[in-house]
Amino acid sequence: MSNAVGGLCAVGPGLLVLLLCHLVCLFLTPEPAFGEVNQLGGVFVNGRPLPNAIRLRIVELAQLGIRPCDISRQLRVSHGCVSKILARYNETGSILPGAIGGSKPRVTTPTVVKHIRTYKQRDPGIFAWEIRDRLLADGVCDKFNLPSVSSISRILRNKIGNLSQQSQYESGKPAPHPPPQPTLPYNHLYSYPTSKVPTPPGMPTLPGHMAMHRIWPSSHSVTDILGIRSITEQQISDSPSFPSTKLEEWSAINRSNFSSASSPLVNGMDKPHLEPQAKYTQTPSGLPTVNSYVTAPSIPPYHPPTQVSPYMGYSATTSAYVTGPTWPPASGSALSPHSCDIASPLAFKSMSVNRDAIHPVAASAL
DNA sequence: ATCGTAACGGTTGAA
DNA sequence: CTTTCAACCGTTACG
């Protein structure tokens, strides 16, 4: 909670940083140096996610009732991509891309191995499939991270066999935190992108502890992003305690994105991640590129300074959690409820405040 | 005309 | 340190 003070201070330095950021951006992204141009004239970086600003914009426009095809034309993003982003948003409530790279989450975590070993010690004749059942029954694993029978066999063969001689696993790691949770250390990072498994269509939420796997969208929901986290809140929670969960998730989601979306405060500790940014134009905050994406005439002034803030918000903790898509916004967008005063993106502000002004946008697209 | 989606070539990062 | 692999990306083209 040293951030209470830091929060206040963050405003000052924050502005400085923003300024700095802009200077950098000016140099880095007059136009996307490594971008390619799609059929619509939009610039993209193959293999890399669209800047969050664009993604956000897509959702915003959709919430305003603009058709995907028009959004596509207006933002010069392929309709396939618009479709995908909106579908994802609909499904998860997040505009963010999934986790890029890395390996599948490990299921045979130390905790699981330990349990397997225990089972084996208690009943040397136990079968792998029995162990599997017990892992599930005992809540060590859930059906999403339950090791396969062959994995268990391998563990029995490779690890348990050796370990049983010297029990290095436990002695080596006295487990200061006796597996507090069956949840796996890796899984909290990866669970969210189970976007393929996450919520089987029709199943809105995951029951019980599985809900935990879905906390991520919370901080990334459009509402949160738009909202609009005040600058003072954005203190990147350097305390590794509670709030950092979100942060970790964030960084796990996509490191380059993380750095690009988060406040420059991260830069200090994240140097390696800056490189890709310089390389691509997924610049810090992903904003400057916006201008090159967005068709100038149709988009209201997209003042960078104010745009930055929502993305600084990405790194912050979460407050409100829009479970999803309040899709066709009943009245006004789901985004507007937030008083877009301090940190709200001008882009949105201009939309919600002068809703009339946005109509021309829609009109121009139609 | 619009939309959903598979294929494609690409990037990324853990193992 | 390099390679492999499986995740994701956005674009394109097709239905």
Side-chain angles (χ1 to χ4, degrees):
Chain A
M1 285 311 166
S2 60
N3 287 331
V5 179
L8 268 176
C9 300
V11 179
L15 288 176
L16 268 177
V17 170
L18 288 186
L19 216 74
L20 211 79
C21 192
H22 274 282
L23 279 175
V24 171
C25 294
L26 275 178
F27 285 104
L28 289 182
T29 67
E31 67 246 49
F34 294 87
E36 299 171 40
V37 177
N38 63 23
Q39 291 175 335
L40 299 170
V43 180
F44 69 100
V45 179
N46 200 2
R48 301 297 298 143
L50 283 175
N52 290 321
I54 299 290
R55 311 176 77 89
L56 181 57
R57 193 99 178 114
I58 289 171
V59 173
E60 283 176 354
L61 292 177
Q63 295 212 337
L64 287 168
I66 300 178
R67 296 179 307 174
C69 57
D70 294 323
I71 296 172
S72 168
R73 281 191 285 262
Q74 194 171 321
L75 299 183
R76 298 188 186 178
V77 171
S78 66
H79 90 268
C81 182
V82 170
S83 172
K84 197 169 165 182
I85 288 173
L86 289 178
R88 178 191 293 253
Y89 173 67
N90 252 333
E91 194 176 325
T92 68
S94 170
I95 64 161
L96 299 180
I100 298 175
S103 301
K104 283 168 81 173
R106 250 180 78 195
V107 288
T108 56
T109 61
T111 303
V112 172
V113 172
K114 191 179 146 194
H115 277 83
I116 293 174
R117 193 162 139 264
T118 305
Y119 298 148
K120 188 67 177 176
Q121 281 173 345
R122 284 186 198 159
D123 178 8
I126 193 171
F127 290 115
W129 62 266
E130 289 177 305
I131 292 176
R132 191 168 187 266
D133 286 350
R134 290 204 56 180
L135 287 172
L136 193 57
D138 293 353
V140 177
C141 302
D142 55 46
K143 63 178 177 180
F144 292 99
N145 60 21
L146 190 61
S148 64
V149 171
S150 59
S151 292
I152 294 172
S153 298
R154 189 172 50 243
I155 290 167
L156 290 173
R157 189 173 56 245
N158 298 340
K159 294 188 179 179
I160 307 295
N162 300 337
L163 291 174
S164 58
Q165 298 169 1
Q166 34 169 316
S167 71
Q168 80 179 37
Y169 228 94
E170 247 164 43
S171 60
K173 297 184 179 178
H177 326 293
Q181 291 236 352
T183 335
L184 309 166
Y186 294 91
N187 272 10
H188 78 287
L189 297 180
Y190 281 93
S191 49
Y192 74 87
T194 14
S195 43
K196 284 183 175 169
V197 197
T199 17
M203 195 204 301
T205 49
L206 293 169
H209 60 286
M210 285 307 294
M212 170 181 172
H213 292 233
R214 308 256 311 146
I215 55 179
W216 69 280
S218 59
S219 53
H220 310 136
S221 67
V222 171
T223 313
D224 258 352
I225 288 155
L226 291 177
I228 312 208
R229 216 123 287 317
S230 73
I231 288 184
T232 53
E233 241 180 296
Q234 61 99 26
Q235 8 122 324
I236 317 278
S237 65
D238 26 26
S239 66
S241 51
F242 149 70
S244 68
T245 325
K246 299 291 193 297
L247 186 56
E248 283 175 29
E249 288 173 35
W250 227 122
S251 57
I253 284 171
N254 186 332
R255 290 165 194 281
S256 55
N257 258 1
F258 173 60
S259 45
S260 71
S262 61
S263 117
L265 284 168
V266 186
N267 292 353
M269 69 171 198
D270 222 3
K271 211 155 85 192
H273 296 152
L274 284 174
E275 206 174 14
Q277 284 179 10
K279 190 168 158 191
Y280 308 113
T281 50
Q282 311 247 143
T283 58
S285 82
L287 298 169
T289 35
V290 170
N291 294 333
S292 54
Y293 274 87
V294 171
T295 25
S298 52
I299 306 297
Y302 221 80
H303 294 336
T306 31
Q307 284 174 10
V308 172
S309 46
Y311 297 99
M312 297 174 67
Y314 276 137
S315 56
T317 59
T318 179
S319 56
Y321 173 92
V322 171
T323 6
T326 33
W327 201 217
S331 62
S333 69
L335 315 169
S336 47
H338 293 275
S339 51
C340 310
D341 37 2
I342 305 177
S344 81
L346 178 81
F348 176 69
K349 204 170 172 181
S350 69
M351 295 169 80
S352 53
V353 170
N354 348 320
R355 181 145 309 177
D356 293 348
I358 202 62
H359 281 145
V361 174
S364 79
L366 298 176

